[in-house]
């Protein structure tokens, strides 16, 4: 036999073998179940999460409206770490009612300048909805995160199960040694 050659047998835990224990068969089935959970559960969780997030973003795009507003206060020049600042604005709603509120606008604008703000169905100021491209990227990232979370849970559960199986094997070896060990302590001559 060559040095360094692997002699690994595939599916050895399912083959008939006098050294095979019930714990080995249980471990083989648990490995198969964990792989199936990762493949199917991770894919399903990622897909459902991505579709749900995409639905939320589509609803936001449908419910939010861009409205022309006028700045009521000057905004300070851009600071080194910020290009947007909070300012008071006034806008006219689609029903003709005039509203005022505070929102984020570009820095360095004077009072009376026109800005675009976003309102929801009730007429309250909200953030701009994500574009289709940004929403698709965010939905994909959320879906991938959900798939990785399911994978992490399955791997963590498998690690705990593997620890329990190893402890059980060690206990079985200890009880078998208790039966066989005293016979080896006797002198033969």
């Amino acid at each position: 036999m060559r040095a360094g050659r692997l002699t690994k047998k595939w599916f050895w835990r399912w083959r008939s073998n006098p050294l095979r224990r019930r714990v080995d068969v249980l471990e083989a089935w648990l490995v198969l179940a964990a792989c199936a959970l990762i493949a199917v559960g991770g894919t399903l969780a990622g897909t459902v999460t991505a579709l749900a997030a995409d639905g939320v973003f589509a609803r936001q795009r449908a419910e939010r409206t861009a409205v022309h507003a006028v700045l009521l206060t000057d905004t300070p020049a851009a600071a080194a770490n910020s290009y947007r600042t909070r300012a008071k604005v006034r806008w006219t709603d689609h029903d003709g009612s005039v509203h005022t509120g505070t929102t984020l606008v570009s820095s360095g604008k004077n009072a009376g300048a026109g800005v675009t703000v976003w309102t929801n169905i009730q007429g309250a100021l909200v953030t701009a909805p994500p574009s289709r491209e940004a929403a698709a990227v965010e939905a994909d990232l959320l879906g991938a995160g959900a798939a990785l979370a399911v994978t992490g849970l399955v791997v963590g559960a498998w690690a705990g199960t593997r620890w329990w199986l190893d402890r059980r094997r060690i206990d079985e070896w200890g009880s078998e040694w208790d039966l066989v060990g005293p016979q080896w302590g006797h002198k033969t001559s």
Side-chain angles (χ1 to χ4, degrees):
M1 187 165 130
R2 278 188 352 216
R5 184 173 163 218
L6 294 176
T7 58
K8 187 172 184 171
K9 295 271 187 178
W10 289 94
F11 306 112
W12 69 270
R13 287 187 167 99
W14 279 297
R15 293 181 185 197
S16 179
N17 184 338
L19 298 178
R20 182 186 70 185
R21 298 164 295 208
R22 287 182 10 187
V23 175
D24 296 331
V25 175
L26 176 64
E27 182 179 17
W29 283 107
L30 289 174
V31 166
L32 185 64
C35 290
L37 276 174
I38 288 171
V40 175
T43 302
L44 186 64
T47 303
V48 167
T49 302
L51 289 175
D54 197 38
V56 168
F57 297 140
R59 190 170 50 252
Q60 286 179 353
R61 283 192 302 275
E63 293 175 350
R64 296 180 182 183
T65 308
V67 177
H68 178 72
V70 177
L71 276 175
L72 298 178
T73 58
D74 292 339
T75 59
N81 60 355
S82 172
Y83 66 95
R84 293 173 59 93
T85 185
R86 296 185 67 79
K88 197 166 190 175
V89 294
R90 180 182 65 234
W91 72 96
T92 304
D93 210 350
H94 62 278
D95 62 359
S97 59
V98 177
H99 300 279
T100 59
T102 304
T103 188
L104 288 174
V105 296
S106 298
S107 299
K109 293 195 173 218
N110 295 325
V115 293
T116 301
V117 296
W118 290 84
T119 60
N120 60 12
I121 293 172
Q122 293 80 23
L125 288 174
V126 292
T127 58
S131 66
R132 289 188 189 279
E133 295 80 19
V137 169
E138 192 169 347
D140 289 345
L141 288 174
L142 289 170
L148 288 174
V150 168
T151 301
L153 287 172
V154 171
V155 168
W158 168 245
T161 304
R162 179 69 190 258
W163 175 84
W164 177 78
L165 289 172
D166 287 344
R167 294 297 313 156
R168 185 165 172 162
R169 277 190 273 262
I170 289 170
D171 291 342
E172 287 176 3
W173 290 334
S175 62
E176 289 173 9
W177 182 253
D178 289 341
L179 295 173
V180 177
Q183 295 174 4
W184 288 17
H186 299 285
K187 295 188 179 197
T188 56
S189 57

